[in-house]
Amino acid sequence: MDVIFTHCAGLDVHKKRITACRVTLDPTGQQADGLLELQDFGTMTADLLALSDWLAAAGVTPVAMESTGEYWTPVYNILEGSFTVFLVNAAHVKQVPGRKTDKADARWLAKLMRYGLLQASFIPPAAQRDLRDLTRYRTKLVQERGREVNRVQGVLERANIKLAAVATNIFGVSGRAILAALIEGRADPAMMAELAKGRLRSKLPLLEQALTGLVRDHHRRLLTIQLTHIDFLDEQIDALSAEITRALMDLSGSEPPPTPADPCPPAEPAPASTLPQTPLTFAHAVSRLDTIPGVNQRGAEMLVAEWGIDMGRFGTAERLSAWSGVAPGNDESAGKQRSGKTRQGNRTLRAGLTQLAHAAARTKGTYLSALYHRLAARRGKKRAILAVAHAIVVSAFHMLSRNEPYRELGANYFDEHRRHQLVDRLARRMERLGYRVSVQPVTAA
């Protein structure tokens, strides 16, 4: 039987205006859908407080609104403590083209809310939202630093300085010393090449050629400004990292323990010696996820900030991967499967997982690296990267839901999984080359 809310509301939220529709029970019983009242409100804080009072006066408890850009956030901040707010995907409640107005959208949301036909999006608690803001802003600063490094490289190229052709990292210890010498106006390439440290000293003749260029005062001024900006960004990134660490510790002390995900029971009971002794907190979850190949400290902090530590809210690893935007999509009609394109999901999380998958693909002797190279040869590099990102999400889901460490399957997992088929295939290839093969298992001494 459908859930029916006798008093509910639907909001159509825009930048400067909110169209609200509240539904109350018709005392006469003549209106089966209840009494629908429409009213427009502004988006200033005073207007939002008036909206809250207008809803509370009618006894409204659940409120539904579309997730329109960032415009829903101020409304959610005001209504969060007094109402049960359902933030719904606009694609799930689209009106028929040609019948769409703001008032019609508000009425439609209110009707769907009344009969319990809306699925709320995941909105983390306020403390986790603050942590998410910090990690997302740090990601933006890291990206800006990368763009500024590229600008420095552009200036060097225009000055005929080919430092990047010799040094792997132009912002290492040697690179920064050479850049400082360029800014100070030292024109002798041999003297600048002597500033190299470590393995770069084995390339001194080539480095001297790379530092022979046409550096003018204009280039030195640009490099000074750009290096100052990079140093500033480094300070901001370090400050944000320290703030994220403090936020994780605060969440670890205030967050209740997560509920286990029911659809994901342990495959077999763990021995008493391997049972987790430390309760799962935000800080502990970061240290757990940091053990996944390709996932570093910052990547683990990003995952925890986006997901939280309670995997019970997602239910299954498949739902978590779909919400993260790294699961294949379904588009079937008339018995035909049309497109398997992935859904958008959480765009920030999808971009971060893609970067982690690239790092995991470059690791040595790991299951994730073997998965990437196995799929890249047949399906292409882009599909292989998304498959690795999906595997990271599945592993993280089980690790957090069971509070268990990462279990490395090894680079030979796929060979061991189908050992006999691999042996037969290789034996047939040897026979086609003219060799007689006798396959016998090697027994340990």
Short mmCIF file of all heavy atoms in Angstrom, two decimals, residues 266 268 270-271 273-278 280 284-293 391-392 394-409:
data_model
loop_
_atom_site.label_atom_id
_atom_site.label_comp_id
_atom_site.label_asym_id
_atom_site.label_seq_id
_atom_site.Cartn_x
_atom_site.Cartn_y
_atom_site.Cartn_z
N PRO A 266 29.74 -10.89 5.78
CA PRO A 266 31.05 -11.47 5.54
C PRO A 266 30.94 -12.85 4.92
O PRO A 266 30.04 -13.63 5.22
CB PRO A 266 31.67 -11.53 6.95
CG PRO A 266 30.90 -10.52 7.76
CD PRO A 266 29.51 -10.53 7.17
N GLU A 268 32.95 -15.40 5.22
CA GLU A 268 33.24 -16.44 6.19
C GLU A 268 33.71 -15.77 7.46
O GLU A 268 34.30 -14.69 7.44
CB GLU A 268 34.30 -17.40 5.65
CG GLU A 268 35.58 -16.71 5.25
CD GLU A 268 36.58 -17.66 4.62
OE1 GLU A 268 36.14 -18.73 4.15
OE2 GLU A 268 37.76 -17.36 4.62
N ALA A 270 35.83 -14.46 10.40
CA ALA A 270 37.26 -14.26 10.54
C ALA A 270 37.75 -14.86 11.83
O ALA A 270 37.02 -14.94 12.83
CB ALA A 270 37.58 -12.76 10.51
N PRO A 271 38.98 -15.33 11.86
CA PRO A 271 39.53 -15.85 13.11
C PRO A 271 39.55 -14.78 14.18
O PRO A 271 39.56 -13.58 13.90
CB PRO A 271 40.96 -16.28 12.71
CG PRO A 271 40.92 -16.42 11.23
CD PRO A 271 39.90 -15.47 10.74
N SER A 273 41.86 -13.79 16.00
CA SER A 273 43.04 -12.95 16.00
C SER A 273 42.98 -11.84 14.96
O SER A 273 43.69 -10.85 15.06
CB SER A 273 44.29 -13.81 15.74
OG SER A 273 44.17 -14.46 14.50
N THR A 274 42.11 -12.00 13.93
CA THR A 274 42.04 -11.00 12.87
C THR A 274 40.80 -10.13 12.96
O THR A 274 40.57 -9.32 12.10
CB THR A 274 42.04 -11.70 11.50
OG1 THR A 274 40.88 -12.55 11.40
CG2 THR A 274 43.30 -12.52 11.31
N LEU A 275 39.97 -10.31 13.99
CA LEU A 275 38.80 -9.48 14.13
C LEU A 275 39.22 -8.04 14.42
O LEU A 275 40.15 -7.80 15.20
CB LEU A 275 37.91 -10.00 15.28
CG LEU A 275 37.15 -11.29 14.98
CD1 LEU A 275 36.40 -11.73 16.22
CD2 LEU A 275 36.19 -11.12 13.82
N PRO A 276 38.58 -7.05 13.79
CA PRO A 276 39.00 -5.67 14.02
C PRO A 276 38.74 -5.24 15.45
O PRO A 276 37.66 -5.44 15.99
CB PRO A 276 38.11 -4.89 13.03
CG PRO A 276 36.94 -5.76 12.77
CD PRO A 276 37.45 -7.17 12.86
N GLN A 277 39.74 -4.67 16.06
CA GLN A 277 39.63 -4.22 17.43
C GLN A 277 39.31 -2.73 17.50
O GLN A 277 38.72 -2.28 18.47
CB GLN A 277 40.96 -4.50 18.16
CG GLN A 277 41.35 -5.97 18.17
CD GLN A 277 40.37 -6.84 18.93
OE1 GLN A 277 39.75 -6.39 19.91
NE2 GLN A 277 40.20 -8.08 18.50
N THR A 278 39.70 -1.97 16.50
CA THR A 278 39.48 -0.53 16.50
C THR A 278 38.14 -0.21 15.86
O THR A 278 37.87 -0.66 14.74
CB THR A 278 40.60 0.18 15.72
OG1 THR A 278 41.86 -0.21 16.27
CG2 THR A 278 40.44 1.68 15.82
N LEU A 280 35.35 1.67 13.70
CA LEU A 280 35.51 2.42 12.47
C LEU A 280 35.11 3.87 12.68
O LEU A 280 33.96 4.17 12.98
CB LEU A 280 34.68 1.80 11.35
CG LEU A 280 34.86 2.42 9.97
CD1 LEU A 280 36.29 2.22 9.48
CD2 LEU A 280 33.88 1.83 8.97
N HIS A 284 40.06 6.46 11.07
CA HIS A 284 40.43 5.06 10.84
C HIS A 284 40.07 4.62 9.44
O HIS A 284 40.79 3.85 8.81
CB HIS A 284 39.74 4.18 11.88
CG HIS A 284 40.16 2.74 11.84
ND1 HIS A 284 41.48 2.35 11.95
CD2 HIS A 284 39.45 1.60 11.67
CE1 HIS A 284 41.56 1.04 11.87
NE2 HIS A 284 40.35 0.56 11.69
N ALA A 285 38.94 5.13 8.91
CA ALA A 285 38.55 4.78 7.54
C ALA A 285 39.55 5.31 6.53
O ALA A 285 39.85 4.65 5.52
CB ALA A 285 37.15 5.33 7.25
N VAL A 286 40.09 6.50 6.77
CA VAL A 286 41.11 7.06 5.86
C VAL A 286 42.34 6.17 5.85
O VAL A 286 42.91 5.86 4.79
CB VAL A 286 41.46 8.50 6.28
CG1 VAL A 286 42.69 8.99 5.53
CG2 VAL A 286 40.29 9.42 6.01
N SER A 287 42.78 5.72 7.03
CA SER A 287 43.96 4.85 7.08
C SER A 287 43.68 3.50 6.42
O SER A 287 44.58 2.90 5.82
CB SER A 287 44.39 4.64 8.54
OG SER A 287 43.36 4.01 9.29
N ARG A 288 42.45 3.01 6.50
CA ARG A 288 42.08 1.77 5.82
C ARG A 288 42.17 1.94 4.29
O ARG A 288 42.80 1.14 3.59
CB ARG A 288 40.66 1.37 6.19
CG ARG A 288 40.49 0.82 7.60
CD ARG A 288 40.89 -0.61 7.66
NE ARG A 288 40.36 -1.26 8.86
CZ ARG A 288 40.90 -2.32 9.42
NH1 ARG A 288 42.01 -2.84 8.91
NH2 ARG A 288 40.36 -2.87 10.48
N LEU A 289 41.52 2.98 3.78
CA LEU A 289 41.47 3.17 2.33
C LEU A 289 42.84 3.52 1.76
O LEU A 289 43.10 3.30 0.58
CB LEU A 289 40.46 4.27 2.00
CG LEU A 289 39.00 3.99 2.37
CD1 LEU A 289 38.12 5.16 1.97
CD2 LEU A 289 38.50 2.72 1.72
N ASP A 290 43.71 4.07 2.59
CA ASP A 290 45.05 4.43 2.13
C ASP A 290 45.87 3.20 1.72
O ASP A 290 46.88 3.34 1.02
CB ASP A 290 45.77 5.21 3.23
CG ASP A 290 47.04 5.87 2.72
OD1 ASP A 290 47.19 5.99 1.49
OD2 ASP A 290 47.88 6.26 3.55
N THR A 291 45.44 2.01 2.13
CA THR A 291 46.17 0.78 1.78
C THR A 291 45.80 0.24 0.40
O THR A 291 46.46 -0.68 -0.08
CB THR A 291 45.91 -0.30 2.83
OG1 THR A 291 44.50 -0.60 2.88
CG2 THR A 291 46.36 0.16 4.21
N ILE A 292 44.77 0.78 -0.25
CA ILE A 292 44.40 0.33 -1.59
C ILE A 292 45.45 0.83 -2.57
O ILE A 292 45.83 2.00 -2.53
CB ILE A 292 43.00 0.86 -1.97
CG1 ILE A 292 41.95 0.36 -0.98
CG2 ILE A 292 42.63 0.43 -3.39
CD1 ILE A 292 40.56 0.90 -1.26
N PRO A 293 45.95 -0.01 -3.47
CA PRO A 293 46.94 0.46 -4.45
C PRO A 293 46.41 1.63 -5.27
O PRO A 293 45.30 1.58 -5.80
CB PRO A 293 47.18 -0.78 -5.33
CG PRO A 293 46.84 -1.93 -4.45
CD PRO A 293 45.72 -1.46 -3.57
N ALA A 391 36.40 -1.15 -9.49
CA ALA A 391 36.97 -2.12 -8.56
C ALA A 391 37.41 -1.46 -7.26
O ALA A 391 37.27 -2.05 -6.18
CB ALA A 391 38.15 -2.84 -9.23
N ILE A 392 37.93 -0.24 -7.34
CA ILE A 392 38.32 0.48 -6.13
C ILE A 392 37.10 0.76 -5.27
O ILE A 392 37.13 0.61 -4.04
CB ILE A 392 39.04 1.78 -6.51
CG1 ILE A 392 40.41 1.47 -7.13
CG2 ILE A 392 39.22 2.69 -5.30
CD1 ILE A 392 41.15 2.69 -7.64
N VAL A 394 34.23 -0.92 -5.18
CA VAL A 394 33.74 -2.17 -4.60
C VAL A 394 34.61 -2.59 -3.42
O VAL A 394 34.10 -3.00 -2.35
CB VAL A 394 33.69 -3.27 -5.68
CG1 VAL A 394 33.35 -4.62 -5.06
CG2 VAL A 394 32.66 -2.91 -6.75
N SER A 395 35.92 -2.50 -3.58
CA SER A 395 36.82 -2.86 -2.49
C SER A 395 36.60 -1.95 -1.28
O SER A 395 36.54 -2.42 -0.14
CB SER A 395 38.28 -2.78 -2.95
OG SER A 395 38.54 -3.69 -4.00
N ALA A 396 36.48 -0.64 -1.53
CA ALA A 396 36.27 0.30 -0.43
C ALA A 396 34.96 0.03 0.28
O ALA A 396 34.88 0.13 1.51
CB ALA A 396 36.31 1.73 -0.97
N PHE A 397 33.91 -0.32 -0.46
CA PHE A 397 32.62 -0.60 0.16
C PHE A 397 32.73 -1.77 1.13
O PHE A 397 32.26 -1.70 2.28
CB PHE A 397 31.58 -0.92 -0.92
CG PHE A 397 30.24 -1.34 -0.37
CD1 PHE A 397 29.30 -0.39 -0.03
CD2 PHE A 397 29.93 -2.68 -0.18
CE1 PHE A 397 28.06 -0.76 0.48
CE2 PHE A 397 28.71 -3.07 0.33
CZ PHE A 397 27.77 -2.10 0.67
N HIS A 398 33.36 -2.85 0.70
CA HIS A 398 33.49 -4.02 1.57
C HIS A 398 34.41 -3.74 2.75
O HIS A 398 34.17 -4.21 3.87
CB HIS A 398 34.00 -5.21 0.77
CG HIS A 398 33.00 -5.72 -0.23
ND1 HIS A 398 31.80 -6.29 0.12
CD2 HIS A 398 33.03 -5.74 -1.58
CE1 HIS A 398 31.13 -6.65 -0.96
NE2 HIS A 398 31.85 -6.32 -2.01
N MET A 399 35.47 -2.97 2.51
CA MET A 399 36.39 -2.65 3.61
C MET A 399 35.69 -1.84 4.70
O MET A 399 35.86 -2.09 5.90
CB MET A 399 37.59 -1.88 3.07
CG MET A 399 38.51 -2.69 2.19
SD MET A 399 39.70 -1.67 1.30
CE MET A 399 40.61 -0.96 2.66
N LEU A 400 34.89 -0.84 4.29
CA LEU A 400 34.23 0.02 5.27
C LEU A 400 33.02 -0.66 5.90
O LEU A 400 32.74 -0.45 7.09
CB LEU A 400 33.80 1.33 4.61
CG LEU A 400 34.93 2.21 4.08
CD1 LEU A 400 34.38 3.50 3.49
CD2 LEU A 400 35.94 2.52 5.16
N SER A 401 32.28 -1.45 5.14
CA SER A 401 31.10 -2.11 5.70
C SER A 401 31.48 -3.23 6.66
O SER A 401 30.75 -3.52 7.61
CB SER A 401 30.21 -2.65 4.58
OG SER A 401 30.92 -3.61 3.81
N ARG A 402 32.65 -3.88 6.44
CA ARG A 402 33.09 -4.97 7.32
C ARG A 402 34.20 -4.54 8.29
O ARG A 402 34.59 -5.32 9.14
CB ARG A 402 33.61 -6.13 6.48
CG ARG A 402 32.61 -6.69 5.49
CD ARG A 402 33.26 -7.73 4.61
NE ARG A 402 32.36 -8.23 3.58
CZ ARG A 402 32.72 -9.09 2.63
NH1 ARG A 402 33.97 -9.54 2.58
NH2 ARG A 402 31.85 -9.50 1.73
N ASN A 403 34.71 -3.32 8.11
CA ASN A 403 35.83 -2.83 8.90
C ASN A 403 37.01 -3.80 8.80
O ASN A 403 37.57 -4.26 9.80
CB ASN A 403 35.42 -2.64 10.36
CG ASN A 403 36.44 -1.81 11.13
OD1 ASN A 403 37.40 -1.29 10.56
ND2 ASN A 403 36.24 -1.70 12.43
N GLU A 404 37.38 -4.10 7.57
CA GLU A 404 38.47 -5.03 7.29
C GLU A 404 39.54 -4.35 6.45
O GLU A 404 39.24 -3.42 5.70
CB GLU A 404 37.96 -6.26 6.54
CG GLU A 404 37.03 -7.14 7.35
CD GLU A 404 36.57 -8.35 6.56
OE1 GLU A 404 36.90 -8.45 5.36
OE2 GLU A 404 35.87 -9.19 7.14
N PRO A 405 40.79 -4.81 6.53
CA PRO A 405 41.85 -4.23 5.69
C PRO A 405 41.73 -4.70 4.25
O PRO A 405 40.99 -5.64 3.93
CB PRO A 405 43.14 -4.75 6.35
CG PRO A 405 42.73 -6.03 7.01
CD PRO A 405 41.31 -5.82 7.47
N TYR A 406 42.49 -4.05 3.39
CA TYR A 406 42.49 -4.41 1.97
C TYR A 406 43.21 -5.74 1.77
O TYR A 406 44.26 -5.99 2.37
CB TYR A 406 43.19 -3.31 1.16
CG TYR A 406 43.29 -3.62 -0.32
CD1 TYR A 406 42.18 -3.52 -1.14
CD2 TYR A 406 44.50 -4.01 -0.89
CE1 TYR A 406 42.26 -3.80 -2.49
CE2 TYR A 406 44.60 -4.28 -2.24
CZ TYR A 406 43.47 -4.17 -3.04
OH TYR A 406 43.55 -4.46 -4.38
N ARG A 407 42.65 -6.59 0.93
CA ARG A 407 43.24 -7.89 0.63
C ARG A 407 43.72 -7.89 -0.81
O ARG A 407 42.93 -7.83 -1.74
CB ARG A 407 42.22 -9.02 0.85
CG ARG A 407 41.70 -9.11 2.28
CD ARG A 407 40.63 -10.18 2.40
NE ARG A 407 40.06 -10.23 3.74
CZ ARG A 407 39.06 -11.03 4.10
NH1 ARG A 407 38.52 -11.85 3.20
NH2 ARG A 407 38.61 -11.01 5.33
N GLU A 408 45.02 -7.97 -0.97
CA GLU A 408 45.62 -7.96 -2.30
C GLU A 408 45.50 -9.34 -2.93
O GLU A 408 45.97 -10.34 -2.38
CB GLU A 408 47.09 -7.54 -2.22
CG GLU A 408 47.82 -7.56 -3.54
CD GLU A 408 47.16 -6.68 -4.59
OE1 GLU A 408 46.98 -5.48 -4.34
OE2 GLU A 408 46.81 -7.22 -5.66
N LEU A 409 44.86 -9.40 -4.12
CA LEU A 409 44.68 -10.68 -4.82
C LEU A 409 45.90 -11.06 -5.63
O LEU A 409 46.05 -12.23 -5.99
CB LEU A 409 43.45 -10.59 -5.73
CG LEU A 409 42.11 -10.34 -5.02
CD1 LEU A 409 40.99 -10.23 -6.04
CD2 LEU A 409 41.81 -11.45 -4.02
#
